[in-house]
Amino acid sequence: MEKTYSFDLSGKNTFRMKVSCRCFIEYDSIADLIDIDFEDLLRPVKHIGAGSNILFTEDFPGTILHSRIKFIERIKEEGDEVLVSVGAGVVFDDFCAWAAGEGLWGPENLSHIPGEVGASAVQNVGAYGVEAKDIIKTVFCYDTLEEEMTRFEASECGFGYRDSIFKHEGVKDRYIVTHIVFRLSKAPAPKLDYGHIREALGDKELSPAAIRETITAVRRDKLPEVTDLGSAGSFFKNPVVPEDIYNKVKAVVGGDVKVPAYFLEDGLVKIPAAFLIEQCGFKGRRSGNVAVWDKQPLVIVNATGRALPDEVITLENKIRVSVREKFGISLVPEVEHI
């Protein structure tokens, strides 16, 4: 376990905000985590993963924790089902690569999502018709209040669209994910009907590896690599609205423009936030050191590497105001502001 004071966080958040925290602690095992005296830590206390879904708005006045618990282990096989336990500090895409290499179905559509395994449950990450909740069986956590290990079955996690109980008051920051048991399968279960994946796959043989390769190529083509250009990935959630709001959007953009939409239950419609942002003229727009990515307007980038948090927030607010005024839809940030 390593503890550092006055720690520079610019390498611990993919937006590359040049901020610091008063104390930074990295631990390598559950035993190390349990040994931490949480009562003695500089407050407030925040646990982060790879820093890929956060925006530090200023220097953090307390303690930042980060897990280096890294393992991938098959723990049970029954028929086609394979249970795999994965440490919270494992890079999520490394887990996807491992599963594809083992010929196991489940996480292939989630390939190339930045972040770590622990955060996948907190955020319920999703892409191309699959969410983490679809393959999570059990989330193991350390309860910092009761000072004991505990577990949550998937049905207890309150999973929703980019949501879980771990993001809500009373639970948020109390439970630290240590490892997750995923339910994978040896039986083919391709999901190809979201985002033109079937078309992009072409004549490739259906396998987890082929789907992973295809989705990785698609994501690399339209999204900036966080290793090359600072960003926090998708900045806004895709809004879910009543059908009358969807009809209003169609009326605003006119009959010549097709409004992409995914029809859900109870008459609700999910509209890509990227489409709304582009219709408001923000695609590729730059403001100082920040910009809206020219290939995917759902992403705000640190265009020069020198962006300040206030610049990101100013552009975020301009986008939200414009979308609300034009379409009557309030965009909600997916990125956590700290």
Side-chain angles (χ1 to χ4, degrees):
M1 184 167 59
E2 296 180 11
K3 179 186 291 187
T4 308
Y5 292 96
S6 300
F7 185 82
D8 178 7
L9 290 168
S10 57
K12 297 296 183 180
N13 73 99
T14 59
F15 236 135
R16 299 184 194 170
M17 294 292 105
K18 298 186 183 304
V19 294
S20 63
C21 62
R22 290 180 66 195
C23 181
F24 183 77
I25 298 176
E26 282 190 311
Y27 56 91
D28 298 292
S29 67
I30 294 175
D32 285 343
L33 174 60
I34 292 173
D35 280 344
I36 295 173
D37 185 352
F38 281 81
E39 291 297 324
D40 193 46
L41 295 180
L42 295 171
R43 318 300 276 187
V45 178
K46 180 69 179 177
H47 198 287
I48 65 170
S52 58
N53 197 53
I54 57 178
L55 171 65
F56 281 104
T57 59
E58 59 185 356
D59 289 338
F60 191 76
T63 303
I64 295 289
L65 298 169
H66 179 249
S67 171
R68 291 192 302 216
I69 300 175
K70 297 183 179 183
F71 64 84
I72 302 176
E73 179 184 0
R74 291 186 187 224
I75 58 173
K76 185 178 180 181
E77 297 188 28
E78 185 172 336
D80 287 329
E81 183 179 271
V82 180
L83 299 184
V84 180
S85 182
V86 187
V90 172
V91 173
F92 188 76
D93 191 53
D94 289 349
F95 163 57
C96 295
W98 176 88
E102 295 288 307
L104 296 175
W105 294 84
E108 61 278 356
N109 285 40
L110 302 176
S111 293
H112 209 59
I113 293 178
E116 295 175 348
V117 164
S120 71
V122 176
Q123 180 69 4
N124 186 26
V125 297
Y128 300 106
V130 176
E131 292 179 309
K133 70 177 180 63
D134 299 328
I135 57 173
I136 287 176
K137 180 183 183 296
T138 311
V139 180
F140 290 84
C141 303
Y142 179 64
D143 183 342
T144 62
L145 184 61
E146 298 294 334
E147 298 183 341
E148 63 183 14
M149 288 295 297
T150 188
R151 58 192 283 173
F152 295 86
E153 298 305 318
S155 60
E156 301 174 299
C157 290
F159 287 129
Y161 174 53
R162 304 299 179 270
D163 196 18
S164 73
I165 59 170
F166 306 112
K167 298 179 72 172
H168 293 258
E169 293 302 322
V171 178
K172 182 180 180 181
D173 298 325
R174 171 179 171 175
Y175 297 98
I176 296 176
V177 178
T178 59
H179 57 295
I180 298 174
V181 173
F182 292 94
R183 182 185 286 111
L184 308 186
S185 177
K186 298 176 187 176
K191 294 179 174 60
L192 307 176
D193 295 325
Y194 196 104
H196 308 293
I197 294 304
R198 187 183 300 276
E199 179 183 344
L201 189 64
D203 296 328
K204 291 181 183 177
E205 179 184 357
L206 280 181
S207 69
I211 294 173
R212 168 178 162 75
E213 179 184 352
T214 299
I215 285 177
T216 298
V218 169
R219 289 181 66 88
R220 281 178 170 161
D221 182 61
K222 70 177 184 177
L223 297 172
E225 294 285 343
V226 294
T227 53
D228 299 329
L229 191 64
S231 81
S234 299
F235 200 94
F236 299 100
K237 296 179 182 180
N238 292 320
V240 176
V241 301
E243 194 164 350
D244 62 327
I245 299 296
Y246 165 66
N247 290 330
K248 176 182 177 181
V249 172
K250 290 199 297 181
V252 170
V253 301
D256 294 334
V257 179
K258 182 178 180 180
V259 179
Y262 304 93
F263 292 87
L264 310 175
E265 298 176 356
D266 301 324
L268 298 177
V269 185
K270 182 188 291 185
I271 303 175
F275 172 82
L276 302 175
I277 294 168
E278 182 174 358
Q279 289 297 310
C280 289
F282 281 94
K283 185 176 182 179
R285 184 187 297 188
R286 181 164 169 174
S287 178
N289 293 301
V290 296
V292 176
W293 187 238
D294 58 358
K295 292 184 179 180
Q296 171 50 278
L298 196 55
V299 178
I300 296 175
V301 298
N302 183 350
T304 66
R306 301 187 301 274
L308 300 174
D310 284 349
E311 291 182 285
V312 178
I313 293 170
T314 296
L315 180 55
E316 170 196 349
N317 288 335
K318 287 180 178 178
I319 292 170
R320 295 180 71 183
V321 168
S322 182
V323 170
R324 185 169 58 248
E325 290 181 346
K326 185 166 186 173
F327 298 111
I329 294 175
S330 295
L331 293 182
V332 176
E334 181 174 323
V335 173
E336 181 181 6
H337 295 51
I338 299 175

mmCIF file of all heavy atoms in Angstrom, residues 175-213:
data_model
loop_
_atom_site.group_PDB
_atom_site.id
_atom_site.type_symbol
_atom_site.label_atom_id
_atom_site.label_comp_id
_atom_site.label_asym_id
_atom_site.label_seq_id
_atom_site.Cartn_x
_atom_site.Cartn_y
_atom_site.Cartn_z
ATOM 1 N N TYR A 175 -19.513 1.926 0.282
ATOM 2 C CA TYR A 175 -19.077 0.604 -0.155
ATOM 3 C C TYR A 175 -17.999 0.733 -1.234
ATOM 4 O O TYR A 175 -18.176 1.444 -2.215
ATOM 5 C CB TYR A 175 -20.254 -0.194 -0.701
ATOM 6 C CG TYR A 175 -21.324 -0.474 0.318
ATOM 7 C CD1 TYR A 175 -22.467 0.316 0.399
ATOM 8 C CD2 TYR A 175 -21.184 -1.522 1.224
ATOM 9 C CE1 TYR A 175 -23.451 0.068 1.346
ATOM 10 C CE2 TYR A 175 -22.161 -1.785 2.172
ATOM 11 C CZ TYR A 175 -23.292 -0.980 2.226
ATOM 12 O OH TYR A 175 -24.253 -1.229 3.163
ATOM 13 N N ILE A 176 -16.896 0.027 -1.040
ATOM 14 C CA ILE A 176 -15.816 0.012 -2.015
ATOM 15 C C ILE A 176 -15.786 -1.360 -2.679
ATOM 16 O O ILE A 176 -15.613 -2.381 -2.001
ATOM 17 C CB ILE A 176 -14.459 0.310 -1.351
ATOM 18 C CG1 ILE A 176 -14.459 1.732 -0.772
ATOM 19 C CG2 ILE A 176 -13.321 0.136 -2.347
ATOM 20 C CD1 ILE A 176 -13.198 2.077 -0.003
ATOM 21 N N VAL A 177 -15.977 -1.386 -3.988
ATOM 22 C CA VAL A 177 -15.980 -2.650 -4.717
ATOM 23 C C VAL A 177 -14.571 -3.245 -4.706
ATOM 24 O O VAL A 177 -13.599 -2.580 -5.070
ATOM 25 C CB VAL A 177 -16.456 -2.451 -6.170
ATOM 26 C CG1 VAL A 177 -16.410 -3.782 -6.929
ATOM 27 C CG2 VAL A 177 -17.863 -1.860 -6.201
ATOM 28 N N THR A 178 -14.471 -4.498 -4.277
ATOM 29 C CA THR A 178 -13.182 -5.191 -4.258
ATOM 30 C C THR A 178 -13.028 -6.160 -5.418
ATOM 31 O O THR A 178 -11.946 -6.296 -5.986
ATOM 32 C CB THR A 178 -12.989 -5.947 -2.933
ATOM 33 O OG1 THR A 178 -14.059 -6.889 -2.770
ATOM 34 C CG2 THR A 178 -12.965 -4.974 -1.760
ATOM 35 N N HIS A 179 -14.102 -6.874 -5.743
ATOM 36 C CA HIS A 179 -14.083 -7.782 -6.891
ATOM 37 C C HIS A 179 -15.511 -8.101 -7.303
ATOM 38 O O HIS A 179 -16.460 -7.873 -6.539
ATOM 39 C CB HIS A 179 -13.299 -9.061 -6.596
ATOM 40 C CG HIS A 179 -13.768 -9.846 -5.414
ATOM 41 N ND1 HIS A 179 -13.719 -9.382 -4.112
ATOM 42 C CD2 HIS A 179 -14.290 -11.108 -5.327
ATOM 43 C CE1 HIS A 179 -14.166 -10.302 -3.284
ATOM 44 N NE2 HIS A 179 -14.538 -11.352 -3.990
ATOM 45 N N ILE A 180 -15.643 -8.579 -8.520
ATOM 46 C CA ILE A 180 -16.957 -8.873 -9.101
ATOM 47 C C ILE A 180 -16.935 -10.266 -9.691
ATOM 48 O O ILE A 180 -15.955 -10.668 -10.338
ATOM 49 C CB ILE A 180 -17.316 -7.850 -10.203
ATOM 50 C CG1 ILE A 180 -17.405 -6.431 -9.620
ATOM 51 C CG2 ILE A 180 -18.637 -8.219 -10.879
ATOM 52 C CD1 ILE A 180 -17.614 -5.356 -10.662
ATOM 53 N N VAL A 181 -18.011 -11.008 -9.483
ATOM 54 C CA VAL A 181 -18.185 -12.292 -10.159
ATOM 55 C C VAL A 181 -19.103 -12.072 -11.353
ATOM 56 O O VAL A 181 -20.245 -11.604 -11.206
ATOM 57 C CB VAL A 181 -18.773 -13.357 -9.213
ATOM 58 C CG1 VAL A 181 -19.114 -14.628 -9.996
ATOM 59 C CG2 VAL A 181 -17.783 -13.675 -8.104
ATOM 60 N N PHE A 182 -18.581 -12.387 -12.528
ATOM 61 C CA PHE A 182 -19.330 -12.258 -13.776
ATOM 62 C C PHE A 182 -19.825 -13.626 -14.217
ATOM 63 O O PHE A 182 -19.152 -14.643 -14.043
ATOM 64 C CB PHE A 182 -18.449 -11.666 -14.882
ATOM 65 C CG PHE A 182 -18.063 -10.230 -14.654
ATOM 66 C CD1 PHE A 182 -16.859 -9.926 -14.026
ATOM 67 C CD2 PHE A 182 -18.884 -9.188 -15.067
ATOM 68 C CE1 PHE A 182 -16.471 -8.602 -13.825
ATOM 69 C CE2 PHE A 182 -18.514 -7.872 -14.866
ATOM 70 C CZ PHE A 182 -17.309 -7.576 -14.241
ATOM 71 N N ARG A 183 -21.009 -13.626 -14.816
ATOM 72 C CA ARG A 183 -21.603 -14.845 -15.364
ATOM 73 C C ARG A 183 -21.399 -14.837 -16.880
ATOM 74 O O ARG A 183 -22.059 -14.082 -17.607
ATOM 75 C CB ARG A 183 -23.088 -14.912 -15.023
ATOM 76 C CG ARG A 183 -23.772 -16.171 -15.517
ATOM 77 C CD ARG A 183 -25.264 -16.140 -15.268
ATOM 78 N NE ARG A 183 -25.590 -16.355 -13.852
ATOM 79 C CZ ARG A 183 -26.091 -15.428 -13.051
ATOM 80 N NH1 ARG A 183 -26.305 -14.198 -13.510
ATOM 81 N NH2 ARG A 183 -26.382 -15.713 -11.795
ATOM 82 N N LEU A 184 -20.455 -15.662 -17.367
ATOM 83 C CA LEU A 184 -20.164 -15.746 -18.791
ATOM 84 C C LEU A 184 -20.676 -17.075 -19.336
ATOM 85 O O LEU A 184 -21.163 -17.922 -18.587
ATOM 86 C CB LEU A 184 -18.655 -15.596 -19.033
ATOM 87 C CG LEU A 184 -17.991 -14.363 -18.391
ATOM 88 C CD1 LEU A 184 -16.534 -14.267 -18.822
ATOM 89 C CD2 LEU A 184 -18.737 -13.087 -18.728
ATOM 90 N N SER A 185 -20.554 -17.262 -20.647
ATOM 91 C CA SER A 185 -21.146 -18.458 -21.260
ATOM 92 C C SER A 185 -20.247 -19.011 -22.362
ATOM 93 O O SER A 185 -19.614 -18.264 -23.114
ATOM 94 C CB SER A 185 -22.522 -18.118 -21.848
ATOM 95 O OG SER A 185 -23.075 -19.249 -22.502
ATOM 96 N N LYS A 186 -20.219 -20.340 -22.426
ATOM 97 C CA LYS A 186 -19.531 -20.997 -23.536
ATOM 98 C C LYS A 186 -20.417 -21.046 -24.781
ATOM 99 O O LYS A 186 -19.917 -21.211 -25.897
ATOM 100 C CB LYS A 186 -19.166 -22.435 -23.143
ATOM 101 C CG LYS A 186 -18.224 -22.560 -21.968
ATOM 102 C CD LYS A 186 -18.028 -24.032 -21.622
ATOM 103 C CE LYS A 186 -17.228 -24.226 -20.353
ATOM 104 N NZ LYS A 186 -17.123 -25.665 -19.985
ATOM 105 N N ALA A 187 -21.730 -20.901 -24.583
ATOM 106 C CA ALA A 187 -22.684 -20.998 -25.698
ATOM 107 C C ALA A 187 -22.732 -19.692 -26.468
ATOM 108 O O ALA A 187 -22.777 -18.613 -25.869
ATOM 109 C CB ALA A 187 -24.066 -21.343 -25.163
ATOM 110 N N PRO A 188 -22.726 -19.741 -27.787
ATOM 111 C CA PRO A 188 -22.794 -18.515 -28.590
ATOM 112 C C PRO A 188 -24.030 -17.699 -28.268
ATOM 113 O O PRO A 188 -25.144 -18.228 -28.210
ATOM 114 C CB PRO A 188 -22.843 -19.036 -30.034
ATOM 115 C CG PRO A 188 -22.189 -20.378 -29.957
ATOM 116 C CD PRO A 188 -22.588 -20.948 -28.624
ATOM 117 N N ALA A 189 -23.819 -16.393 -28.058
ATOM 118 C CA ALA A 189 -24.939 -15.486 -27.762
ATOM 119 C C ALA A 189 -24.635 -14.099 -28.320
ATOM 120 O O ALA A 189 -24.574 -13.114 -27.582
ATOM 121 C CB ALA A 189 -25.171 -15.416 -26.250
ATOM 122 N N PRO A 190 -24.431 -14.017 -29.650
ATOM 123 C CA PRO A 190 -24.070 -12.719 -30.240
ATOM 124 C C PRO A 190 -25.222 -11.723 -30.191
ATOM 125 O O PRO A 190 -26.380 -12.092 -30.412
ATOM 126 C CB PRO A 190 -23.710 -13.076 -31.689
ATOM 127 C CG PRO A 190 -24.476 -14.335 -31.965
ATOM 128 C CD PRO A 190 -24.516 -15.088 -30.666
ATOM 129 N N LYS A 191 -24.894 -10.483 -29.909
ATOM 130 C CA LYS A 191 -25.869 -9.388 -29.935
ATOM 131 C C LYS A 191 -25.354 -8.375 -30.953
ATOM 132 O O LYS A 191 -24.411 -7.625 -30.692
ATOM 133 C CB LYS A 191 -26.009 -8.766 -28.540
ATOM 134 C CG LYS A 191 -26.620 -9.726 -27.523
ATOM 135 C CD LYS A 191 -26.732 -9.093 -26.148
ATOM 136 C CE LYS A 191 -27.480 -10.000 -25.178
ATOM 137 N NZ LYS A 191 -26.817 -11.307 -24.981
ATOM 138 N N LEU A 192 -26.020 -8.353 -32.104
ATOM 139 C CA LEU A 192 -25.479 -7.628 -33.253
ATOM 140 C C LEU A 192 -26.405 -6.557 -33.806
ATOM 141 O O LEU A 192 -26.084 -5.943 -34.831
ATOM 142 C CB LEU A 192 -25.156 -8.625 -34.385
ATOM 143 C CG LEU A 192 -24.271 -9.811 -34.019
ATOM 144 C CD1 LEU A 192 -24.133 -10.746 -35.209
ATOM 145 C CD2 LEU A 192 -22.911 -9.342 -33.539
ATOM 146 N N ASP A 193 -27.541 -6.322 -33.178
ATOM 147 C CA ASP A 193 -28.562 -5.472 -33.790
ATOM 148 C C ASP A 193 -28.536 -4.034 -33.296
ATOM 149 O O ASP A 193 -29.488 -3.294 -33.489
ATOM 150 C CB ASP A 193 -29.946 -6.073 -33.539
ATOM 151 C CG ASP A 193 -30.112 -7.419 -34.223
ATOM 152 O OD1 ASP A 193 -29.548 -7.585 -35.321
ATOM 153 O OD2 ASP A 193 -30.771 -8.298 -33.650
ATOM 154 N N TYR A 194 -27.446 -3.622 -32.680
ATOM 155 C CA TYR A 194 -27.360 -2.258 -32.145
ATOM 156 C C TYR A 194 -26.151 -1.573 -32.774
ATOM 157 O O TYR A 194 -25.048 -2.116 -32.779
ATOM 158 C CB TYR A 194 -27.208 -2.313 -30.622
ATOM 159 C CG TYR A 194 -27.477 -1.012 -29.903
ATOM 160 C CD1 TYR A 194 -28.658 -0.808 -29.201
ATOM 161 C CD2 TYR A 194 -26.544 0.013 -29.904
ATOM 162 C CE1 TYR A 194 -28.913 0.368 -28.519
ATOM 163 C CE2 TYR A 194 -26.783 1.193 -29.238
ATOM 164 C CZ TYR A 194 -27.959 1.371 -28.543
ATOM 165 O OH TYR A 194 -28.200 2.547 -27.876
ATOM 166 N N GLY A 195 -26.388 -0.389 -33.323
ATOM 167 C CA GLY A 195 -25.276 0.406 -33.835
ATOM 168 C C GLY A 195 -24.583 -0.155 -35.054
ATOM 169 O O GLY A 195 -23.375 0.027 -35.229
ATOM 170 N N HIS A 196 -25.294 -0.861 -35.911
ATOM 171 C CA HIS A 196 -24.742 -1.352 -37.181
ATOM 172 C C HIS A 196 -23.584 -2.332 -36.987
ATOM 173 O O HIS A 196 -22.713 -2.459 -37.867
ATOM 174 C CB HIS A 196 -24.283 -0.185 -38.064
ATOM 175 C CG HIS A 196 -25.326 0.865 -38.271
ATOM 176 N ND1 HIS A 196 -26.485 0.641 -38.987
ATOM 177 C CD2 HIS A 196 -25.405 2.151 -37.823
ATOM 178 C CE1 HIS A 196 -27.226 1.744 -38.986
ATOM 179 N NE2 HIS A 196 -26.594 2.665 -38.279
ATOM 180 N N ILE A 197 -23.546 -3.025 -35.853
ATOM 181 C CA ILE A 197 -22.464 -3.966 -35.615
ATOM 182 C C ILE A 197 -22.521 -5.135 -36.594
ATOM 183 O O ILE A 197 -21.485 -5.600 -37.094
ATOM 184 C CB ILE A 197 -22.503 -4.477 -34.164
ATOM 185 C CG1 ILE A 197 -22.206 -3.322 -33.203
ATOM 186 C CG2 ILE A 197 -21.484 -5.602 -33.954
ATOM 187 C CD1 ILE A 197 -20.899 -2.609 -33.464
ATOM 188 N N ARG A 198 -23.728 -5.607 -36.897
ATOM 189 C CA ARG A 198 -23.856 -6.729 -37.834
ATOM 190 C C ARG A 198 -23.233 -6.367 -39.182
ATOM 191 O O ARG A 198 -22.508 -7.167 -39.790
ATOM 192 C CB ARG A 198 -25.327 -7.104 -38.015
ATOM 193 C CG ARG A 198 -25.548 -8.359 -38.822
ATOM 194 C CD ARG A 198 -27.050 -8.622 -39.019
ATOM 195 N NE ARG A 198 -27.741 -8.788 -37.754
ATOM 196 C CZ ARG A 198 -27.809 -9.936 -37.086
ATOM 197 N NH1 ARG A 198 -27.197 -11.002 -37.572
ATOM 198 N NH2 ARG A 198 -28.483 -10.003 -35.951
ATOM 199 N N GLU A 199 -23.517 -5.157 -39.634
ATOM 200 C CA GLU A 199 -22.967 -4.702 -40.922
ATOM 201 C C GLU A 199 -21.452 -4.593 -40.848
ATOM 202 O O GLU A 199 -20.727 -4.984 -41.767
ATOM 203 C CB GLU A 199 -23.579 -3.352 -41.276
ATOM 204 C CG GLU A 199 -23.074 -2.748 -42.570
ATOM 205 C CD GLU A 199 -23.674 -1.384 -42.831
ATOM 206 O OE1 GLU A 199 -24.691 -1.028 -42.185
ATOM 207 O OE2 GLU A 199 -23.129 -0.655 -43.682
ATOM 208 N N ALA A 200 -20.939 -4.038 -39.743
ATOM 209 C CA ALA A 200 -19.491 -3.867 -39.594
ATOM 210 C C ALA A 200 -18.776 -5.212 -39.476
ATOM 211 O O ALA A 200 -17.626 -5.354 -39.899
ATOM 212 C CB ALA A 200 -19.187 -3.015 -38.364
ATOM 213 N N LEU A 201 -19.461 -6.216 -38.922
ATOM 214 C CA LEU A 201 -18.857 -7.531 -38.754
ATOM 215 C C LEU A 201 -18.616 -8.207 -40.096
ATOM 216 O O LEU A 201 -17.644 -8.952 -40.274
ATOM 217 C CB LEU A 201 -19.763 -8.396 -37.871
ATOM 218 C CG LEU A 201 -19.220 -9.734 -37.394
ATOM 219 C CD1 LEU A 201 -18.016 -9.538 -36.481
ATOM 220 C CD2 LEU A 201 -20.311 -10.515 -36.663
ATOM 221 N N GLY A 202 -19.480 -7.928 -41.057
ATOM 222 C CA GLY A 202 -19.310 -8.485 -42.387
ATOM 223 C C GLY A 202 -19.358 -9.995 -42.403
ATOM 224 O O GLY A 202 -20.236 -10.614 -41.803
ATOM 225 N N ASP A 203 -18.373 -10.600 -43.069
ATOM 226 C CA ASP A 203 -18.341 -12.053 -43.230
ATOM 227 C C ASP A 203 -17.489 -12.758 -42.182
ATOM 228 O O ASP A 203 -17.187 -13.952 -42.325
ATOM 229 C CB ASP A 203 -17.811 -12.419 -44.627
ATOM 230 C CG ASP A 203 -18.734 -11.920 -45.737
ATOM 231 O OD1 ASP A 203 -19.955 -11.875 -45.497
ATOM 232 O OD2 ASP A 203 -18.223 -11.570 -46.820
ATOM 233 N N LYS A 204 -17.081 -12.038 -41.155
ATOM 234 C CA LYS A 204 -16.251 -12.667 -40.125
ATOM 235 C C LYS A 204 -17.026 -13.771 -39.416
ATOM 236 O O LYS A 204 -18.241 -13.686 -39.233
ATOM 237 C CB LYS A 204 -15.812 -11.627 -39.089
ATOM 238 C CG LYS A 204 -14.820 -10.597 -39.611
ATOM 239 C CD LYS A 204 -14.445 -9.630 -38.487
ATOM 240 C CE LYS A 204 -13.517 -8.548 -38.998
ATOM 241 N NZ LYS A 204 -13.207 -7.552 -37.942
ATOM 242 N N GLU A 205 -16.308 -14.798 -39.012
ATOM 243 C CA GLU A 205 -16.917 -15.879 -38.250
ATOM 244 C C GLU A 205 -17.400 -15.341 -36.906
ATOM 245 O O GLU A 205 -16.711 -14.553 -36.246
ATOM 246 C CB GLU A 205 -15.895 -16.989 -38.021
ATOM 247 C CG GLU A 205 -16.434 -18.152 -37.217
ATOM 248 C CD GLU A 205 -15.368 -19.191 -36.935
ATOM 249 O OE1 GLU A 205 -14.231 -19.017 -37.422
ATOM 250 O OE2 GLU A 205 -15.663 -20.156 -36.213
ATOM 251 N N LEU A 206 -18.615 -15.750 -36.516
ATOM 252 C CA LEU A 206 -19.163 -15.276 -35.251
ATOM 253 C C LEU A 206 -18.405 -15.892 -34.081
ATOM 254 O O LEU A 206 -18.423 -17.114 -33.893
ATOM 255 C CB LEU A 206 -20.648 -15.622 -35.142
ATOM 256 C CG LEU A 206 -21.621 -14.707 -35.893
ATOM 257 C CD1 LEU A 206 -23.057 -15.174 -35.656
ATOM 258 C CD2 LEU A 206 -21.454 -13.267 -35.434
ATOM 259 N N SER A 207 -17.738 -15.052 -33.325
ATOM 260 C CA SER A 207 -17.021 -15.487 -32.136
ATOM 261 C C SER A 207 -16.860 -14.265 -31.238
ATOM 262 O O SER A 207 -16.937 -13.128 -31.706
ATOM 263 C CB SER A 207 -15.639 -16.041 -32.493
ATOM 264 O OG SER A 207 -14.788 -14.995 -32.957
ATOM 265 N N PRO A 208 -16.653 -14.467 -29.938
ATOM 266 C CA PRO A 208 -16.410 -13.311 -29.068
ATOM 267 C C PRO A 208 -15.228 -12.473 -29.543
ATOM 268 O O PRO A 208 -15.282 -11.243 -29.490
ATOM 269 C CB PRO A 208 -16.137 -13.953 -27.707
ATOM 270 C CG PRO A 208 -16.838 -15.266 -27.752
ATOM 271 C CD PRO A 208 -16.704 -15.737 -29.177
ATOM 272 N N ALA A 209 -14.190 -13.134 -30.039
ATOM 273 C CA ALA A 209 -12.998 -12.398 -30.490
ATOM 274 C C ALA A 209 -13.300 -11.543 -31.715
ATOM 275 O O ALA A 209 -12.835 -10.393 -31.819
ATOM 276 C CB ALA A 209 -11.867 -13.381 -30.795
ATOM 277 N N ALA A 210 -14.085 -12.084 -32.660
ATOM 278 C CA ALA A 210 -14.409 -11.330 -33.872
ATOM 279 C C ALA A 210 -15.292 -10.141 -33.556
ATOM 280 O O ALA A 210 -15.100 -9.038 -34.100
ATOM 281 C CB ALA A 210 -15.104 -12.247 -34.882
ATOM 282 N N ILE A 211 -16.262 -10.334 -32.670
ATOM 283 C CA ILE A 211 -17.137 -9.221 -32.284
ATOM 284 C C ILE A 211 -16.340 -8.169 -31.516
ATOM 285 O O ILE A 211 -16.497 -6.959 -31.741
ATOM 286 C CB ILE A 211 -18.321 -9.731 -31.459
ATOM 287 C CG1 ILE A 211 -19.208 -10.616 -32.336
ATOM 288 C CG2 ILE A 211 -19.136 -8.569 -30.895
ATOM 289 C CD1 ILE A 211 -20.318 -11.321 -31.590
ATOM 290 N N ARG A 212 -15.466 -8.622 -30.619
ATOM 291 C CA ARG A 212 -14.627 -7.681 -29.881
ATOM 292 C C ARG A 212 -13.744 -6.854 -30.835
ATOM 293 O O ARG A 212 -13.645 -5.640 -30.712
ATOM 294 C CB ARG A 212 -13.740 -8.436 -28.897
ATOM 295 C CG ARG A 212 -12.637 -7.566 -28.286
ATOM 296 C CD ARG A 212 -11.786 -8.321 -27.281
ATOM 297 N NE ARG A 212 -10.530 -7.624 -27.063
ATOM 298 C CZ ARG A 212 -10.407 -6.506 -26.343
ATOM 299 N NH1 ARG A 212 -11.475 -5.966 -25.794
ATOM 300 N NH2 ARG A 212 -9.232 -5.937 -26.195
ATOM 301 N N GLU A 213 -13.139 -7.538 -31.808
ATOM 302 C CA GLU A 213 -12.286 -6.850 -32.775
ATOM 303 C C GLU A 213 -13.083 -5.809 -33.567
ATOM 304 O O GLU A 213 -12.616 -4.687 -33.796
ATOM 305 C CB GLU A 213 -11.665 -7.873 -33.723
ATOM 306 C CG GLU A 213 -10.762 -7.268 -34.788
ATOM 307 C CD GLU A 213 -10.239 -8.318 -35.763
ATOM 308 O OE1 GLU A 213 -10.456 -9.524 -35.532
ATOM 309 O OE2 GLU A 213 -9.612 -7.925 -36.764
#
